[in-house]
């Protein structure tokens, strides 16, 4: 159809998009066009603002590479990743869930480790940490053989892929739950860290006067055939940034008890016990955000 005026545009685009043979494509793109056009009208996007948006999206791509995923970071900072996570877990968002956003730093093929092993592959200063996990179902039955992929930032606040000082795969490992559903490992107590601020997402956070520090956490991805893959993060309850996490990742179920033992002594350490409750469902690995 010929476009007579701005009032015709949305209808014309919806007709074109709706011809997609893939029904889900047609549904999703039609909704996107409806909402995007309504948004453009609501805020009266100017020509300069559209040029700014082109540049912003291009910069998201230019900032991304095998070791950095700016698109995931931008989605995280807008709360979209957490929203999609909570809508797709906990019985469709109705009940509490122990799931959390994946974040941009999970890597496939972390080293397979024996229960009890250390996550350290290069010297990493910090308070020693002992983490003991139990993987079980809702009824309390252990899920033997569950694979638990763990990753964390160093106490300096950097993941190994961001830090030349750390060995490849430092602070990453995969454990297998034993017949009782248990595994444990040693590491160093994680610290909070700023989300990457050197790209367009950082520009947005600064423009909104948002603080960049995530609360300290360990990441876990628990995988077992017959169960929905559980992707989560566990935070200490006393972290100052639980309520202003820049990626909106903290829910009550994710607060673990990180207890300090022998405080002030040479053998001071932190101990975390946490139970991972899996739901029946499809075991599916996410696409790794980085290589
Ligand atoms: C993370 O926890 O690793 C993370 C999540 C979202 C944005 C940046 C980092
Ligand atoms: Fe993290």
């Amino acid at each position: 159809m010929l476009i007579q005026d701005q009032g015709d545009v949305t209808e014309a685009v919806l007709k074109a998009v709706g011809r997609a043979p893939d029904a889900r494509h047609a549904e999703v793109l039609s909704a996107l066009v409806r909402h995007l056009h309504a948004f453009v009208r609501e805020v009266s996007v100017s020509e300069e603002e559209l040029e700014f948006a082109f540049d912003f999206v291009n910069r998201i791509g230019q900032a991304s590479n095998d070791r950095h995923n700016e698109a995931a970071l931008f989605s995280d900072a807008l709360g979209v990743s957490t929203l999609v996570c909570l809508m797709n877990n906990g019985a469709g968002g109705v009940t509490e869930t122990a799931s959390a956003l994946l974040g941009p730093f999970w890597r496939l093929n972390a080293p397979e480790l024996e229960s009890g092993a250390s996550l350290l592959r290069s010297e990493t200063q910090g308070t020693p940490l002992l983490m003991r996990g139990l993987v079980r179902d809702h009824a309390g039955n252990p899920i033997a053989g569950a694979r638990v992929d763990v990753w964390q930032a160093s106490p300096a606040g950097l993941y190994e892929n961001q830090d030349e000082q750390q060995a490849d795969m430092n602070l990453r490992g995969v454990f297998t739950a034993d017949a009782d559903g248990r595994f444990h490992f040693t590491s160093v107590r994680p610290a909070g860290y700023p989300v990457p601020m050197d790209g367009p997402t950082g520009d947005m956070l600064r423009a909104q006067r948002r603080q960049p520090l995530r609360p300290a956490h360990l990441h876990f991805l628990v995988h077992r055939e017959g169960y929905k893959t559980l992707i989560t993060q566990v935070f200490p309850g006393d972290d100052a940034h639980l309520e202003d996490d820049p990626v909106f990742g903290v829910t009550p179920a994710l607060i673990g008890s990180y207890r300090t033992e022998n405080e002030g002594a040479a053998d001071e350490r932190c101990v975390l016990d946490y139970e991972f409750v899996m739901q029946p469902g499809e075991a599916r690995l996410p696409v790794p955000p980085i290589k």
Side-chain angles (χ1 to χ4, degrees):
M1 68 190 255
L2 285 185
I3 309 294
Q4 304 297 335
D5 58 32
Q6 61 109 335
D8 287 344
V9 180
T10 305
E11 186 194 337
V13 180
L14 285 174
K15 275 198 183 126
V17 167
R19 284 196 282 270
D22 182 304
R24 180 67 177 157
H25 178 112
E27 179 190 1
V28 172
L29 269 292
S30 298
L32 178 68
V33 167
R34 278 198 310 277
H35 287 274
L36 205 49
H37 286 212
F39 158 77
V40 165
R41 290 194 167 95
E42 180 182 327
V43 301
S44 301
V45 171
S46 70
E47 289 160 327
E48 289 79 7
E49 286 166 340
L50 185 60
E51 287 157 12
F52 176 89
F54 292 157
D55 183 57
F56 192 88
V57 173
N58 289 339
R59 286 176 58 216
I60 289 177
Q62 286 152 4
S64 299
N65 54 51
D66 281 357
R67 295 163 83 85
H68 180 79
N69 191 323
E70 187 74 15
L73 181 60
F74 186 56
S75 159
D76 297 345
L78 284 180
V80 174
S81 306
T82 290
L83 177 59
V84 170
C85 168
L86 297 183
M87 283 168 46
N88 284 276
N89 291 281
V94 175
T95 62
E96 190 181 40
T97 172
S99 297
L101 76 166
L102 178 69
F105 295 131
W106 177 61
R107 288 178 67 190
L108 198 59
N109 299 328
E112 304 260 349
L113 301 173
E114 293 290 323
S115 190
S118 169
L119 292 188
L120 273 56
R121 322 247 96 67
S122 53
E123 195 187 330
T124 312
Q125 299 292 335
T127 305
L129 171 80
L130 169 66
M131 194 281 152
R132 293 184 292 227
L134 167 65
V135 187
R136 64 168 177 85
D137 66 14
H138 254 290
N141 303 304
I143 303 181
R147 288 166 53 82
V148 185
D149 199 327
V150 187
W151 67 107
Q152 68 168 99
S154 74
L158 293 169
Y159 287 82
E160 50 80 37
N161 53 291
Q162 301 174 293
D163 185 2
E164 304 265 297
Q165 308 298 316
Q166 295 182 55
D168 188 40
M169 294 288 182
N170 191 41
L171 302 177
R172 297 178 186 269
V174 183
F175 299 89
T176 304
D178 66 15
D180 297 323
R182 295 186 185 279
F183 66 95
H184 66 284
F185 62 85
T186 60
S187 183
V188 286
R189 189 184 162 123
Y193 59 85
V195 299
M197 290 294 283
D198 51 357
T201 306
D203 290 347
M204 179 188 77
L205 293 174
R206 271 185 294 275
Q208 296 168 357
R209 305 289 185 272
R210 286 163 61 181
Q211 73 82 24
L213 286 174
R214 292 217 65 206
H217 56 273
L218 294 170
H219 291 264
F220 299 90
L221 184 155
V222 191
H223 185 269
R224 180 80 171 107
E225 277 315 310
Y227 296 89
K228 187 164 194 325
T229 302
L230 175 59
I231 297 170
T232 192
Q233 308 181 15
V234 181
F235 303 89
D238 59 356
D239 195 287
H241 290 295
L242 295 177
E243 302 216 5
D244 62 358
D245 180 5
V247 299
F248 310 96
V250 188
T251 64
L254 307 186
I255 296 180
S257 84
Y258 289 69
R259 301 179 317 281
T260 303
E261 288 183 350
N262 310 327
E263 194 161 355
D267 58 349
E268 176 178 325
R269 69 173 184 175
C270 175
V271 179
L272 169 66
D273 290 288
Y274 193 81
E275 295 191 5
F276 300 86
V277 182
M278 300 189 81
Q279 315 280 345
E282 188 197 354
R284 168 186 175 270
L285 284 181
V287 174
I290 55 171
K291 300 268 163 47

